[in-house]
Amino acid sequence: MSTVSQIIGKRLYEAGCRHAFGIPGGEVLSVMRGLDDAGVKFTLVKHENSGGFMAEGVFHRTGAPGVLVATLGPGVANAVNVVANALQDRVPMIFLTGCVDEDEAATYTHQVFDHAALMRPITKASLRMTAGNAEAIMDKALAIAMDDPPGPVHVDVPISVAIAEAAVARGARRVQPAPAVPAHTEQLELARSWLGKAKRPVIIAGVEALHHRAEEQVRALVQKHRIPLITTYKAKGIIDERDDMAVGGMGLSPKADNIVLPLIKEADVVLLLGYDPIEMRVGWRNIWEDGAHVIELSSNRNTHYMHQSAISFVGDIKHGMEVLADGLRTVSEWKGDEVQAIKRALADIYRVDEEWGPGAIVDVARAEMPANTVASVDSGAHRILLSQTWQCYEPRTLMQSSGLCTMGCSLPLGIGAKLAEPDRPVAVFTGDACLEMTLGELATARDAKTPVIVFVFADESLSLIEIKQRGTGQPNLGVDFPGTDFAAVARSMGGLGFDVQDRAGLAQAIRAALAAKTYSIISCRIPRKAYDNRI
């Protein structure tokens, strides 16, 4: 007979999980042992919030749900932010927590509160483990986490249940549902007719298309029919962004919106492929006129009301695209140089060709880092600029918090990605304030032997907030701070540290970091207000 903890580990391993992250507590020791016995390696982190982002980093490289472990009480509370992020960013995650038995909780209160009540609003489900249905509960947790839209599922494991023998279960495995595609209806024929006659169509692709592995279908539609492609930040790289029809990632830059939104409004057909507007700023709400020829392929029914579509198909994005494009022969009237002109107009805003500054940092890093680099970026002004300028050559090669836009994510995301795929170079882009929030995880990078390269946009300011503060006539308050010697911090915590102030110094530091066997911090000093008129 297997214990409940062994069943938990076995089912996660079978789902493709090979890594779990967290901080031990007496209430989860048996669960951790079950994970380890099954081949799911546990990595000690310095904060549960970072552990959740490391779990997400693994998901982006493997496709398996992330696994986060926390003990009762403060461990659970510490993870609230990253669990909410997983819900908003459509990240499948299994959050395993320990709890006292119900009989114990009736008269014992130390560190005890209702975990499920806390988790319920920010998870897809909160389940309580039992010995009689351990297999079914784990199968249910995995199915809910991976079902559209993907997200976090909380599993609370009482101490006595974790070590109990699990009952033999029948019917505890769900059959994967067959993909749903558009039915042959009048709406399908009308959508095909619109696409067939379109002269200036535009595609907007989002993260759902990646979840449904529709990269090849998107690429074929763009390249065969010469349709400009706009993506959300999380869908960057769904086709190689060096393609002449790839406009790039959009979402949070009003400067970019001024160029791209008119293109969408003037299109004769707008095709939405797995486009989830949770990533977009308010300026993307209802951007086309009523009656516009907007065709949507989505994995979920529209309840967000950020936009409406003339025709909406709900189902599998990959197979739905195949049905919609079947027999489509029309090639649009778009010319490659027209799209290139749009890309040049965007480049003029962000100025990556500057002598030195945030754009120069991105430019040098992209040129020096290998083509297969996986990058992560934290929240702030640097993220908006980088998301517009860092070219992705493959899907899921730029990780970030898009729905929740939370700070402190890029370093742990990078560590998780490096653990999952050690042979891939990993570039972590972060602001100085963001890195100060997660400095403890440098020890995790050291101990886990993950030689990530951390680029710090060091301007000693919360630049995005300072811009908003100044723009609304508010006094400078709580946004500027003295600088930290990040290079010295790196060296004191077992890494390499570099302090650079020009392109040549940055290039030299990157080459040294790529050859290192430990993590590196490259502190790129830039002046305050370096993002003015650029985002």
Side-chain angles (χ1 to χ4, degrees), residues 13-328:
Y13 187 90
E14 291 172 351
C17 304
R18 298 294 183 270
H19 294 273
F21 303 87
I23 298 178
E27 297 74 20
V28 291
L29 295 180
S30 297
V31 172
M32 291 166 55
R33 176 67 183 273
L35 295 174
D36 189 68
D37 287 347
V40 181
K41 178 179 173 58
F42 181 84
T43 295
L44 172 65
V45 303
K46 306 310 173 191
H47 195 284
E48 289 83 356
N49 196 58
S50 293
F53 282 116
M54 291 180 203
E56 179 182 341
V58 171
F59 157 69
H60 287 305
R61 302 317 310 153
T62 68
V67 182
L68 175 62
V69 181
T71 192
L72 87 173
V76 178
N78 276 349
V80 166
N81 179 81
V82 77
V83 173
N85 182 82
L87 184 69
Q88 294 221 344
D89 266 22
R90 316 318 192 204
V91 177
M93 179 183 293
I94 303 299
F95 182 32
L96 300 170
T97 63
C99 64
V100 300
D101 301 319
E102 288 189 13
D103 288 345
E104 187 80 358
T107 57
Y108 182 72
T109 57
H110 178 66
Q111 292 188 314
V112 174
F113 63 82
D114 189 341
H115 294 171
L118 180 66
M119 288 291 116
R120 201 167 288 120
I122 56 171
T123 59
K124 293 184 69 180
S126 181
L127 310 175
R128 188 177 177 90
M129 182 58 70
T130 70
N133 279 295
E135 285 206 43
I137 290 170
M138 283 308 299
D139 195 75
K140 182 182 292 188
L142 288 162
I144 295 172
M146 295 297 286
D147 279 351
D148 291 315
V153 173
H154 170 231
V155 181
D156 219 11
V157 186
I159 298 170
S160 64
V161 171
I163 60 176
E165 288 188 350
V168 177
R170 295 180 65 250
R173 302 293 179 101
R174 189 185 73 160
V175 175
Q176 185 67 26
V181 299
H184 287 276
T185 59
E186 291 182 5
Q187 289 96 328
L188 178 60
E189 293 307 315
L190 181 59
R192 283 175 168 170
S193 173
W194 286 353
L195 280 174
K197 297 175 182 176
K199 303 300 182 185
R200 309 282 283 184
V202 171
I203 295 172
I204 306 176
V207 69
E208 289 180 359
L210 293 181
H211 289 322
H212 288 212
R213 306 185 189 283
E215 296 93 333
E216 289 297 327
Q217 287 70 27
V218 173
R219 186 180 301 112
L221 198 60
V222 169
Q223 294 178 344
K224 180 179 179 181
H225 302 285
R226 306 296 296 163
I227 305 176
L229 171 68
I230 298 164
T231 70
T232 65
Y233 289 163
K234 278 192 171 288
K236 280 173 64 68
I238 195 167
I239 73 168
D240 188 330
E241 291 191 306
R242 293 170 293 190
D243 189 285
D244 65 349
M245 299 306 286
V247 176
M250 300 293 147
L252 296 181
S253 173
K255 296 286 186 180
D257 291 352
N258 290 337
I259 295 170
V260 172
L261 290 180
L263 166 72
I264 298 170
K265 293 175 182 178
E266 294 165 8
D268 53 5
V269 172
V270 179
L271 184 57
L272 307 179
L273 303 177
Y275 167 55
D276 186 343
I278 196 170
E279 294 191 56
M280 316 305 279
R281 59 183 290 272
V282 70
W284 284 74
R285 184 167 54 197
N286 295 325
I287 58 176
W288 42 76
E289 298 295 327
D290 293 342
H293 288 185
V294 180
I295 305 166
E296 181 173 37
L297 278 170
S298 176
S299 61
N300 297 279
R301 296 183 182 277
N302 179 342
T303 57
H304 52 70
Y305 284 77
M306 271 283 285
H307 66 254
Q308 295 298 332
S309 307
I311 302 174
S312 182
F313 301 108
V314 179
D316 186 272
I317 309 300
K318 174 181 177 179
H319 297 288
M321 287 183 64
E322 292 172 345
V323 170
L324 185 61
D326 184 33
L328 185 64

Side-chain angles (χ1 to χ4, degrees), residues 395-407:
R396 296 194 185 279
T397 51
L398 180 58
M399 305 174 294
Q400 56 187 293
S401 171
S402 276
L404 198 60
C405 291
T406 188
M407 292 174 67

Side-chain angles (χ1 to χ4, degrees), residues 490-503:
R491 291 190 288 269
S492 72
M493 296 182 71
L496 298 184
F498 306 88
D499 202 317
V500 303
Q501 300 184 60
D502 55 42
R503 282 176 172 261

